Amino acid sequence: DGGITQSPKYLFRKEGQNVTLSCEQNLNHDAMYWYRQDPGQGLRLIYYSQIVNDFQKGDIAEGYSVSREKKESFPLTVTSAQKNPTAFYLCASSIRGAEVNEQYFGPGTRLTVT
Amino acid sequence: AQSVAQPEDQVNVAEGNPLTVKCTYSVSGNPYLFWYVQYPNRGLQFLLKYITGDNLVKGSYGFEAEFNKSQTSFHLKKPSALVSDSALYFCAVRALTTDSWGKFQFGAGTQVVVTP
């Protein structure tokens, strides 16, 4: 899982509560990404950030928010507006500006909302 | 728009037999193609990538993949599968276009089951 850490590994929340997932990397990568993984649906992009203080919505951004105040950190907040928040969340990073470079993934956080 | 298709939800193979996991893609520029593997409750691990040059790419753990431009395919192969190769495999594409810069498009994944 390289130099990317995600915490916690498992997270349980009650419906209606906001929750923040942590993602930290020590790879000195400019670009960072958040994906959601559901069984049989592969990975879907929530948000991505190419540089500090800038980020763009991915394919399923509704109900999520992010910040990028530091190069090494890209936290994801799952808000109460997200209708189906229970999923496996993956953070990734890559070298910016070079499409030839692969992404490095963290170990993931499994969020369960009841 | 770019897209990736993995036509098989699951591939079953006996240990020692050849393993192939299929992937086809659609992009409007030069494709950069990747394969990742995921073990249960873990993040994705990079296996190999095609950028340019030789159509046969060799990667980690004895895996290789063949890029076929005319068929827009990038199938993953291993000559002799191991039980430990049982995992979920993802194909991904990146294309050098201004509207998709920085974004990966992943396939839905193919579950590989290798039986002893």
Side-chain angles (χ1 to χ4, degrees):
Chain A
D1 297 321
I4 301 181
T5 57
Q6 291 185 245
S7 60
K9 190 170 179 63
Y10 298 96
L11 191 53
F12 298 88
R13 280 294 182 270
K14 294 291 186 185
E15 194 172 322
Q17 293 179 333
N18 292 354
V19 59
T20 297
L21 281 58
S22 168
C23 177
E24 303 277 332
Q25 54 100 358
N26 62 4
L27 301 169
N28 200 33
H29 287 168
D30 285 300
M32 297 187 74
Y33 310 78
W34 273 106
Y35 292 93
R36 170 181 171 137
Q37 185 177 17
D38 297 281
Q41 295 195 45
L43 274 65
R44 293 184 289 169
L45 183 65
I46 304 172
Y47 270 96
Y48 64 106
S49 168
Q50 300 295 334
I51 55 174
V52 174
N53 293 322
D54 185 54
F55 48 82
Q56 288 80 40
K57 293 181 179 180
D59 301 318
I60 56 165
E62 185 176 351
Y64 299 96
S65 66
V66 294
S67 63
R68 188 81 188 279
E69 297 176 0
K70 297 186 297 182
K71 185 175 184 177
E72 58 270 21
S73 178
F74 191 41
L76 173 75
T77 297
V78 184
T79 75
S80 56
Q82 168 50 231
K83 290 183 170 54
N84 297 296
T86 295
F88 190 51
Y89 291 87
L90 288 163
C91 179
S93 71
S94 69
I95 297 173
R96 174 178 175 246
E99 280 69 19
V100 302
N101 290 297
E102 61 273 19
Q103 290 181 324
Y104 293 80
F105 283 83
T109 291
R110 187 166 296 281
L111 174 64
T112 302
V113 177
T114 58
Chain B
Q2 56 194 39
S3 64
V4 178
Q6 294 182 239
E8 301 157 316
D9 292 336
Q10 182 165 315
V11 170
N12 298 300
V13 63
E15 188 173 32
N17 282 359
L19 169 63
T20 298
V21 186
K22 296 179 180 178
C23 172
T24 59
Y25 66 91
S26 174
V27 298
S28 56
N30 289 323
Y32 300 112
L33 296 154
F34 305 79
W35 275 104
Y36 291 85
V37 61
Q38 184 183 34
Y39 296 97
N41 294 310
R42 300 289 298 277
L44 276 65
Q45 296 176 32
F46 169 72
L47 282 177
L48 51 79
K49 63 185 177 184
Y50 172 81
I51 304 303
T52 187
D54 194 348
N55 290 341
L56 185 64
V57 178
K58 294 190 182 297
S60 307
Y61 313 119
F63 284 94
E64 58 189 28
E66 186 168 11
F67 172 66
N68 187 317
K69 188 173 183 177
S70 63
Q71 297 185 5
T72 61
S73 67
F74 188 55
H75 301 331
L76 181 70
K77 300 180 181 183
K78 187 171 185 180
S80 178
L82 301 172
V83 172
S84 57
D85 293 327
S86 298
L88 187 57
Y89 291 79
F90 290 97
C91 181
V93 65
R94 252 178 153 179
L96 193 59
T97 61
T98 54
D99 63 346
S100 64
W101 181 78
K103 289 173 61 175
F104 279 77
Q105 188 72 41
F106 284 84
T110 298
Q111 183 69 49
V112 170
V113 178
V114 182
T115 53

